[in-house]
Amino acid sequence: MNKLPILLLLLFLNLGTIFGQQFIARQGQVTFFSYATVEDIEAKNNQVLSILDFDKKEIAATMLMRAFVFKKDLMHEHFNESYIESDIYPKATFEGILLEGLENAGPQIQLINGKITIHGITKEIEIKTTIQKTENSYTISGEFNLTVKDFNIKIPPILSNNIAKVVLVKFNFQYEPYENE
């Protein structure tokens, strides 16, 4: 198990308060949707941790793959055992940079460039997000597509019609100021 992403996130948490104002989303939400001819597959994960540092324009997120909730237990089992292999690759991570500074007024569309790691494979990605400031907190939401084969996820030929080759991922994070106690 590669603990480097978690160590980087913890280091980011501890050092960030010295150098800039940070925000934390302790229960961010990530969902994915896979359209297939036989049956759509949808899952939700409400246990996503994310840190946001506007001074450095950095964002990081990590989540346990087993925390995804499916409508059917069998989908959950196949997802973790056959496709994602959660015992070998228990987490997905994202580390990125906001491409522009944040303005104070209204919702803003921002691009974030970063690296996403799923199933032990890291890929560069650009994500279009909406950032909304409210009082002393921020909300970041967005969506992007992931191609299953890019992450070396094997789908048996007999099931290839049951699982989409491209999966829609949506996220929503509610950030509050992070205070290191």
Side-chain angles (χ1 to χ4, degrees), residues 110-133:
Q110 288 271 343
L111 290 178
I112 298 175
N113 275 353
K115 293 181 180 183
I116 189 166
T117 302
I118 300 172
H119 198 244
I121 306 290
T122 301
K123 295 285 183 183
E124 291 196 20
I125 188 171
E126 184 174 85
I127 303 171
K128 184 178 176 180
T129 64
T130 300
I131 301 176
Q132 174 73 48
K133 183 180 189 323

Side-chain angles (χ1 to χ4, degrees), residues 2-13 48-53 56-63 91-99 111-118 121-127 129 144 151 171 173 175:
N2 186 352
K3 295 183 181 182
L4 183 59
I6 298 302
L7 292 174
L8 289 174
L9 187 61
L10 290 173
L11 181 63
F12 188 70
L13 274 170
V48 185
L49 175 66
S50 181
I51 302 295
L52 177 63
D53 185 327
K56 294 180 180 181
K57 298 182 183 178
E58 295 176 337
I59 186 170
T62 186
M63 67 179 166
K91 297 177 183 173
T93 61
F94 175 79
E95 297 174 22
I97 302 289
L98 281 79
L99 297 181
L111 290 178
I112 298 175
N113 275 353
K115 293 181 180 183
I116 189 166
T117 302
I118 300 172
I121 306 290
T122 301
K123 295 285 183 183
E124 291 196 20
I125 188 171
E126 184 174 85
I127 303 171
T129 64
F144 56 93
F151 295 93
F171 61 92
F173 299 129
Y175 292 93

Side-chain angles (χ1 to χ4, degrees), residues 118-160:
I118 300 172
H119 198 244
I121 306 290
T122 301
K123 295 285 183 183
E124 291 196 20
I125 188 171
E126 184 174 85
I127 303 171
K128 184 178 176 180
T129 64
T130 300
I131 301 176
Q132 174 73 48
K133 183 180 189 323
T134 55
E135 297 268 335
N136 207 18
S137 64
Y138 291 89
T139 300
I140 296 183
S141 59
E143 62 182 50
F144 56 93
N145 289 310
L146 290 179
T147 304
V148 173
K149 71 176 183 176
D150 286 349
F151 295 93
N152 200 25
I153 297 169
K154 305 286 190 244
I155 300 172
I158 196 167
L159 297 176
S160 64

Side-chain angles (χ1 to χ4, degrees), residues 6 15 32-33 41 43-44 55 57 61 67 69 72 79 88 103 107 114 116 140 149 155 168 175-176 181:
I6 298 302
L15 293 180
F32 73 81
F33 180 80
I41 299 170
K44 184 186 294 187
D55 292 341
K57 298 182 183 178
V69 177
K72 297 181 179 178
F79 174 78
I88 300 169
E103 299 173 16
I116 189 166
I140 296 183
K149 71 176 183 176
I155 300 172
L168 174 65
Y175 292 93
E176 299 294 330
E181 298 174 8

